[in-house]
Amino acid sequence: MSLSVKLQTASGDFQKIQGDLTKVVEARQKLDAQLSENELVKKEFAKLTTENTVYKQIGPVLVKQDLTEAKSNVDTRLEFIRGEIKRVETQLKEIEAKQEKKKQELVDIQTAIQQQNTQQTGVPTTT
């Protein structure tokens, strides 16, 4: 395979990795927003007493919900979100490592192309 084809292939792979990285960063941001929202709800629940009434929205209807059950649901949601954040963080590290490896591959191919051009023409080229 010629160096220019390798360069095009590696460049395409690098762009795909960048797209994957963007998607994972967006997912991480959404999880951060959900985490903040649920932590806020948990703080508000901590202020409530047994005399307070809690409602859960199910479609267009508000349904009365037990405070203990509501707190438990929020705690479960927070646990799930934190687990997802850890999973996404692992994905981010893996994708960043792939990106760095692919970036180095691109540099190596460009260097090889420059060396090849220098050997053919005897004049150094810059790209």
Side-chain angles (χ1 to χ4, degrees):
M1 185 181 327
S2 73
L3 288 176
S4 62
V5 172
K6 283 184 181 180
L7 182 63
Q8 287 177 348
T9 302
S11 180
D13 292 346
F14 185 74
Q15 287 176 347
K16 183 185 178 306
I17 291 169
Q18 283 182 315
D20 292 345
L21 184 63
T22 300
K23 288 177 188 173
V24 174
V25 167
E26 288 172 0
R28 175 69 164 94
Q29 290 170 339
K30 286 179 185 177
L31 287 169
D32 279 338
Q34 290 175 350
L35 182 67
S36 296
E37 181 181 321
N38 280 278
E39 285 175 341
L40 182 64
V41 169
K42 185 175 180 171
K43 286 179 187 176
E44 290 299 316
F45 278 172
K47 297 176 187 176
L48 300 178
T49 64
T50 52
E51 288 95 40
N52 295 112
T53 306
V54 176
Y55 293 93
K56 178 178 183 177
Q57 185 174 0
I58 300 177
V61 179
L62 290 177
V63 178
K64 192 172 182 178
Q65 188 176 25
D66 179 59
L67 179 60
T68 307
E69 182 184 341
K71 285 181 178 182
S72 174
N73 287 344
V74 170
D75 288 338
T76 302
R77 223 175 293 128
L78 283 167
E79 208 174 293
F80 174 77
I81 292 168
R82 286 186 182 110
E84 284 297 297
I85 287 174
K86 285 180 184 175
R87 185 184 65 77
V88 168
E89 285 294 326
T90 302
Q91 269 186 316
L92 275 172
K93 288 176 185 170
E94 289 172 359
I95 292 173
E96 286 171 348
K98 281 182 189 177
Q99 183 181 31
E100 199 54 42
K101 184 178 177 184
K102 194 55 73 172
K103 188 187 297 185
Q104 187 57 50
E105 182 182 333
L106 283 168
V107 168
D108 293 345
I109 293 170
Q110 288 172 336
T111 302
I113 289 172
Q114 287 176 345
Q115 289 173 349
Q116 186 180 52
N117 288 342
T118 301
Q119 288 173 356
Q120 289 175 351
T121 62
V123 179
T125 59
T126 57
T127 53

